[in-house]
Amino acid sequence: MDGQQQPDVQHFDHCPWLFAGDATDEQRVGQRERQGKVGGDSEIGERCYVAESAAVFPDRLRLGDDSYIAAHAYVTGELTTGTDCTLNPFVTVRGAVTLGSGVRIGAHTSLLGFNHSMAPDRPVFQQAQTSLGITIGDDVWIGSHVVVVDGVTVGDHCVIGAGAVVTKDLPAWTVAAGNPARPLRDRRDAKPSGAVRGADTLARFADTARAQAPDILARCWDGDRYVDRPGAAATVRAHCDAVEIADLLLGSPPEQLSAEEHVKRLSAAQDPDTGLAPELGGPLPTPDADGFVGEGPALYHVLSLGYALDLLGARFPHPVRGVREMTASQLVARLEGLPWREGAWGAGAWVDAWATAAHWNLRDHADEGVAPGTLEALFGWLLTRADPWTGMWGSPSPQAGRLQVVNGYYRLTRGTFAQFGGPVPHPERVMDAVLDHARDTRHFGPGRDNACNVLDVAHPLWLCGRQLGAHAKDGGYRSAEIRAWAEHQLAAALPRWHDGKGFGFGPGVSGPGAEPGLQGTEMWLAIIWYLADLLGRTDTLGYHPRGVHRPEPARTPGLA
């Protein structure tokens, strides 16, 4: 250090790798004294450094040779390290933590090898602590601002990107990032293979979508209401789609309004007499003779408005009167009269809305839910009327093929079997029919896919695969075809993202069209989740639908 000022202790605390070569004899004596004051059951190896400013209060410490604990680190509990391990400034290590050799832990990272229980019988601060411990293998690099939670094992040779939250074990050689952390590739692959490249692409897409979600929501806020896209009219569905997107990607309500104001506005959309929600500025829905509506925005608002309120922790303020008062015989008569032959999609949409209204009535207004026997009548009718050759309801046509039937099947089963947690009839035959429809070039192919048509194939394949106990990734029924279809659709869907704008719905006679907007974004985000799950890759997305397109039943399996 000739001609230069001798580094002081503060300098070494922040740059401990310099200590072995640059420290004076006096500083080395001081460091031995520092190590002797660590306390607990401590053994510190050769050529180690423990910063004066580090808060090191272990019950048991085994610090391997050539390792250091840098400035302002916080170490408690039981820490065991191999050789050449580094805890950089502001690292927190608590609980039972074991590091292999050659481990690098970036600044501000936390390894939390303990937890609290959280039973509801006492405050959290009075709960007992638990500790499964954290194990980190050899040759691991953990970036800055990472959190590793209790019970996790990180295999040898892993690299974890800055800001990751590691909640699950990572196998050896994994490169991982994200919140929650997800594998991106194998560190040994100079050029990632197909599956890893696919995971990497999904992870980048999800990170992009999360980062741009605030701009997408702001773009579709006209200063007072949500619109599907700039220049469009404000609608109930646009507000609901905004809530779904924010919940999915941000885990919070859209920032344009407080949570309370979101609930207030959405609740006000429901007519207290009928329990239905007209379009903003539109006329009140006129119920049919049996008390429920047959078409129009009010049908879909039963789904979108109900689930938006649910995501906000609220409920429909009023029961849906037509569902509450309809008798079993009236319901059967209505089912018999739906246009199954010429309009199976509309018939399925009506069943979806009626069953979803029954769900809200039962959940939110149990005393005014549904008339006795109506749900039994609904499911009994559906089970006995399903075509045993296709598992579906309705008939194909020369003009549209199976389009109406498959799209109607999705809507019908979404609101009934999927939402109520019951098994669909003839699942193998459904998958046969859906895959046959997916080959129809009139509805699928370059420039023809839209969100409705792709979702209405992906969800039935997913639902039936789950019921059969094996998704395509597990070698289930017709798994190779399903996987190939899902791979193709996923590869086609991701490039449709428009930066700062989201997804367009897509071409077709229905829907808002190809311009990016809230409806297209909400639907394609759900579609991508289902496609990824068919391929076993949802962990790389880091999001999970909880609204209209949620994969889990909304009710405990059964009718009541």
Side-chain angles (χ1 to χ4, degrees):
M1 300 291 293
D2 293 342
Q4 299 182 26
Q5 183 178 356
Q6 179 66 40
D8 59 13
V9 170
Q10 183 180 15
H11 188 92
F12 287 133
D13 274 11
H14 287 84
C15 306
W17 55 88
L18 299 177
F19 184 82
D22 296 347
T24 65
D25 290 343
E26 182 180 359
Q27 288 169 333
R28 294 180 197 280
V29 170
Q31 175 57 205
R32 285 194 292 272
E33 292 176 352
R34 167 71 175 108
Q35 294 178 13
K37 296 177 182 178
V38 165
D41 177 9
S42 300
E43 295 181 9
I44 298 177
E46 299 293 326
R47 298 174 300 282
C48 288
Y49 186 88
V50 178
E52 289 284 349
S53 58
V56 184
F57 309 117
D59 297 321
R60 184 177 187 275
L61 174 64
R62 298 291 184 269
L63 192 64
D65 295 345
D66 301 294
S67 298
Y68 63 73
I69 300 174
H72 305 292
Y74 179 31
V75 178
T76 66
E78 299 182 2
L79 171 62
T80 300
T81 82
T83 60
D84 296 290
C85 288
T86 63
L87 278 65
N88 281 293
F90 299 97
V91 162
T92 295
V93 179
R94 304 194 65 194
V97 177
T98 300
L99 310 182
S101 294
V103 176
R104 296 292 183 266
I105 302 177
H108 299 276
T109 281
S110 296
L111 309 182
L112 305 177
F114 75 104
N115 210 335
H116 281 283
S117 56
M118 54 180 181
D121 60 343
R122 70 190 71 178
V124 170
F125 76 90
Q126 295 179 354
Q127 303 274 346
Q129 286 190 3
T130 60
S131 181
L132 299 174
I134 293 170
T135 300
I136 310 295
D138 297 334
D139 181 33
V140 172
W141 174 21
I142 301 177
S144 298
H145 294 279
V146 171
V147 176
V148 182
V149 302
D150 190 33
V152 165
T153 295
V154 176
D156 297 342
H157 315 295
C158 286
V159 174
I160 301 173
V165 178
V166 186
T167 62
K168 296 181 180 180
D169 294 352
L170 295 174
W173 296 103
T174 298
V175 178
N179 179 8
R182 50 196 175 270
L184 302 181
R185 63 181 178 90
D186 188 302
R187 183 178 159 194
R188 295 166 293 186
D189 289 344
K191 294 183 178 179
S193 63
V196 178
R197 281 199 304 271
D200 196 10
T201 300
L202 276 173
R204 288 198 304 270
F205 161 74
D207 289 343
T208 297
R210 274 187 286 271
Q212 296 182 9
D215 291 338
I216 293 168
L217 296 170
R219 172 180 180 261
C220 296
W221 173 255
D222 69 3
D224 182 54
R225 296 280 183 178
Y226 289 98
V227 298
D228 181 72
R229 56 205 180 279
T235 62
V236 172
R237 178 164 183 170
H239 194 160
C240 298
D241 286 337
V243 170
E244 292 243 15
I245 293 166
D247 180 85
L248 193 69
L249 296 178
L250 305 175
S252 63
E255 65 180 10
Q256 285 72 32
L257 300 170
S258 67
E260 293 76 15
E261 185 62 24
H262 281 295
V263 171
K264 180 180 177 181
R265 290 196 180 191
L266 291 172
S267 297
Q270 191 188 28
D271 172 43
D273 181 34
T274 64
L276 298 168
E279 189 53 270
L280 293 176
L284 291 174
T286 302
D288 295 344
D290 52 26
F292 198 55
V293 291
E295 57 185 16
L299 272 182
Y300 195 79
H301 292 166
V302 172
L303 282 63
S304 60
L305 186 58
Y307 274 104
L309 287 168
D310 184 58
L311 292 174
L312 293 165
R315 302 182 171 199
F316 267 135
H318 312 288
V320 180
R321 179 170 60 84
V323 172
R324 179 190 64 193
E325 298 178 355
M326 188 180 294
T327 66
S329 59
Q330 287 176 319
L331 175 59
V332 169
R334 185 62 178 267
L335 293 170
E336 294 284 358
L338 290 173
W340 297 105
R341 182 171 295 278
E342 69 279 7
W345 182 90
W350 187 92
V351 173
D352 186 4
W354 193 96
T356 302
H359 161 60
W360 302 130
N361 279 8
L362 288 166
R363 193 196 71 166
D364 302 341
H365 308 279
D367 295 338
E368 305 175 275
V370 296
T374 49
L375 281 175
E376 290 81 359
L378 172 65
F379 282 92
W381 192 93
L382 293 174
L383 289 168
T384 56
R385 298 305 196 282
D387 181 353
W389 295 103
T390 65
M392 298 186 173
W393 299 267
S395 305
S397 70
Q399 296 76 25
R402 297 187 187 274
L403 180 66
Q404 285 272 334
V405 178
V406 172
N407 290 9
Y409 180 88
Y410 162 69
R411 287 296 306 273
L412 183 153
T413 56
R414 193 221 69 85
T416 55
F417 297 98
Q419 188 166 237
F420 281 75
V424 298
H426 317 297
E428 293 95 340
R429 303 292 76 77
V430 171
M431 297 167 88
D432 292 340
V434 167
L435 288 169
D436 179 68
H437 168 63
R439 291 191 292 268
D440 191 332
T441 57
R442 290 173 292 183
H443 313 300
F444 296 91
R448 298 192 177 187
D449 294 347
N450 63 43
C452 186
N453 291 351
V454 177
L455 175 64
D456 297 357
V457 169
H459 187 273
L461 292 176
W462 182 91
L463 181 66
C464 293
R466 183 186 65 171
Q467 182 172 318
L468 292 172
H471 283 164
K473 66 179 185 294
D474 301 318
Y477 183 71
R478 299 190 68 171
S479 62
E481 295 165 82
I482 294 170
R483 187 178 187 86
W485 182 84
E487 288 275 17
H488 172 77
Q489 290 298 331
L490 197 56
L494 296 179
R496 294 179 180 137
W497 178 267
H498 297 256
D499 282 336
K501 299 178 180 180
F503 285 110
F505 176 85
V509 297
S510 62
E515 183 180 346
L518 295 180
Q519 182 178 338
T521 300
E522 185 273 324
M523 291 187 69
W524 279 109
L525 287 171
I527 291 164
I528 287 167
W529 187 92
Y530 280 104
L531 294 172
D533 202 56
L534 287 170
L535 297 166
R537 299 180 192 163
T538 50
D539 284 349
T540 66
L541 282 174
Y543 70 73
H544 190 102
R546 300 196 311 131
V548 172
H549 301 113
R550 58 180 291 156
E552 298 82 14
R555 301 190 64 77
T556 301
L559 298 182

